Amino acid sequence: MKFTKSFDDPNPIPSKGINNAVRLMKNGMLFRYGYINGGTNDKHTITHNESEVSRLERAFSQYTGHKYVVAVNSCGSAMFIALKAMGVQPNDKVFTNAFTFTAVPSSIVHANAIPVYIECNNQYVIDLEHFKEQIKQQPDVKYFILSHMRGHISDLDKIKTLCDEYGIKLIEDCAHGLGKRWNSEDNEKNNFVGHHSDIACYSTQSHKILNSGEGGFIATNDEQLAAYCILAAGSYEQLYKKHLSRPKDDDLFEDIKLYVPNFSLRMSNLTAAVLRPQIELIDERINSYKEKHDRLITILSDINYIHIPEPINNAEHVGDSLQFNLVGLDEDKINDFVKRSAEKGVKIQVFGIADNARDFRNWQYSFDEMPDMKNTAEIISCACDLRLPITFTLEDIDLIGAIIKEVLDEVTDSELTMALLGQPSN
Ligand SMILES: *Cc1c(COP(=O)(O)O)cnc(C)c1O
């Protein structure tokens, strides 16, 4: 058995997006603010008052249900601006997940702050007991970037309650949270992940549901935070007036604008042109992911050595990737499993191996002393990650499942044989 499709395929750009982009390139209007200030051509000022980026921000806010949305060049930038908007000062400490992607602690370091890591439990989410302990031990930490890593949603209600109780300001990293509901029994917009925090940050990097290569969003219901984020992303003079998804009170901007740095992290119209027609495809993409994700879970769940954690509460899986734990196998066997799977065309990564950017031990830029994250280290040492691109079919999923089964048999058979022969299994 061999699988031949690529596990790295991004979502293709729909033809509407391609046409938008070509039209834009013909007239060259790639800067989101067009010609409004210092422009020489009045006609442009009028026709391009609603730029692609502004229209995208409005469409995105209509999807997520946030009042205000600011488009930026990445989710990392979004988190950095969010921290600045909330008033993070140099050497302030910020809680975040020990299991997440390196862009998250990096955004904290970018803001000259210090990440304080919280252990993940065996459902890949924040370990609430460890979080409570850390709150008690480090009462000076007043911010928290909660990452919904790989779409695994921590207990949002409990975390929110703890944050409120201890005066901790919450930011959600929704790079993998777009379109996910916290309480799936209730289909209200506000049950989308991203509504427990003051600011939610999204990514449109190619491996996320929306694909523009690079890109991100800041989403909030708070008008002061929105004004700060619009200015900090790179809106100067009167340009904030061109935003369609902004607080209407100009004083919110005028009062602070001379005190807010311009970090030049704007999204360009070209990026927005390929993104905007993807907004209406989000639900369709999620349904397609879900169908295949659930099928693979069904196939894998009765295999020995594989354990797939249940989501907590009613959080639902969106499923553009699948994570499972290999239990009862040592490191050599796990490496062997990864290698043999790759030989059969199934690309699996283990988070806690080698230079993986999702292993906290590799974030040495963020600490002087290695944080003691025993549980997280243990979990990521056996946690496997499998991307499930939209291009895969249900038949592809069946084949992937069969290959995983076959490889596990091979890997564990030799263990059995060795044991029978009375030889050490490594
Ligand atoms: C991709 C990702 C990010 C960073 O997104 P960029 O847009 O590349 O900055 C942040 N957090 C998680 C969990 C991610 O997967």
Side-chain angles (χ1 to χ4, degrees), residues 73-77 79 100-101 103-104 147-150 173 175-176 202-205 208 213-216 358:
N73 69 341
S74 75
C75 180
S77 297
M79 292 183 286
T100 183
F101 180 59
V104 183
S147 179
H148 303 314
M149 178 58 171
R150 285 295 190 273
D173 165 22
H176 289 136
Y202 298 83
S203 175
T204 63
Q205 183 267 344
K208 317 294 155 106
E214 304 283 359
R358 298 143 201 92

Side-chain angles (χ1 to χ4, degrees), residues 59-85:
F60 193 79
S61 82
Q62 282 163 356
Y63 182 83
T64 66
H66 288 97
K67 273 196 195 154
Y68 313 116
V69 165
V70 191
V72 287
N73 69 341
S74 75
C75 180
S77 297
M79 292 183 286
F80 163 69
I81 293 175
L83 289 169
K84 300 297 280 186

Side-chain angles (χ1 to χ4, degrees), residues 171-384:
I171 294 169
E172 276 168 276
D173 165 22
C174 292
H176 289 136
L178 180 61
K180 288 193 69 122
R181 289 175 204 282
W182 164 237
N183 182 348
S184 56
E185 277 164 23
D186 185 345
N187 272 355
E188 287 291 309
K189 273 242 159 84
N190 283 352
N191 286 319
F192 270 143
V193 166
H195 286 271
H196 281 72
S197 52
D198 297 318
I199 299 184
C201 301
Y202 298 83
S203 175
T204 63
Q205 183 267 344
S206 286
H207 283 168
K208 317 294 155 106
I209 289 184
L210 296 173
N211 170 22
S212 61
E214 304 283 359
F217 294 103
I218 301 165
T220 182
N221 293 324
D222 182 299
E223 54 181 26
Q224 269 162 344
L225 292 174
Y228 182 100
C229 293
I230 286 171
L231 297 170
S235 159
Y236 47 90
E237 297 160 0
Q238 306 286 311
L239 292 176
Y240 64 84
K241 291 183 177 163
K242 301 200 96 184
H243 284 244
L244 297 169
S245 178
R246 68 150 177 131
K248 289 293 163 268
D249 179 1
D250 289 353
D251 287 343
L252 288 165
F253 296 87
E254 294 299 331
D255 287 350
I256 61 169
K257 77 179 191 190
L258 303 184
Y259 301 92
V260 180
N262 172 337
F263 292 113
S264 287
L265 299 170
R266 293 170 297 263
M267 181 182 279
S268 98
N269 277 339
L270 197 52
T271 301
V274 302
L275 276 178
R276 200 160 54 82
Q278 294 181 53
I279 303 289
E280 61 200 50
L281 301 178
I282 296 174
D283 290 337
E284 192 181 308
R285 285 179 179 174
I286 288 174
N287 288 337
S288 164
Y289 284 131
K290 245 192 208 147
E291 193 184 13
K292 290 173 272 183
H293 182 266
D294 290 352
R295 180 134 161 173
L296 190 53
I297 288 188
T298 309
I299 298 172
L300 298 185
S301 57
D302 54 38
I303 300 184
N304 285 336
Y305 304 102
I306 286 186
H307 175 249
I308 302 175
E310 291 280 323
I312 61 167
N313 278 22
N314 290 315
E316 53 177 20
H317 269 304
V318 163
D320 53 341
S321 67
L322 176 71
Q323 289 71 45
F324 59 87
N325 293 326
L326 287 175
V327 288
L329 299 183
D330 63 19
E331 195 182 324
D332 289 344
K333 288 274 178 297
I334 291 175
N335 283 328
D336 194 26
F337 168 77
V338 170
K339 189 170 142 258
R340 287 175 191 246
S341 300
E343 282 163 10
K344 292 178 201 276
V346 174
K347 186 175 156 188
I348 293 170
Q349 70 169 336
V350 175
F351 294 115
I353 283 182
D355 61 352
N356 197 300
R358 298 143 201 92
D359 181 339
F360 66 90
R361 291 165 293 200
N362 295 325
W363 308 335
Q364 304 216 1
Y365 58 81
S366 77
F367 48 75
D368 295 326
E369 213 175 295
M370 183 71 72
D372 182 24
M373 297 284 120
K374 251 194 233 90
N375 294 343
T376 305
E378 197 178 311
I379 287 151
I380 60 176
S381 72
C382 68
C384 297

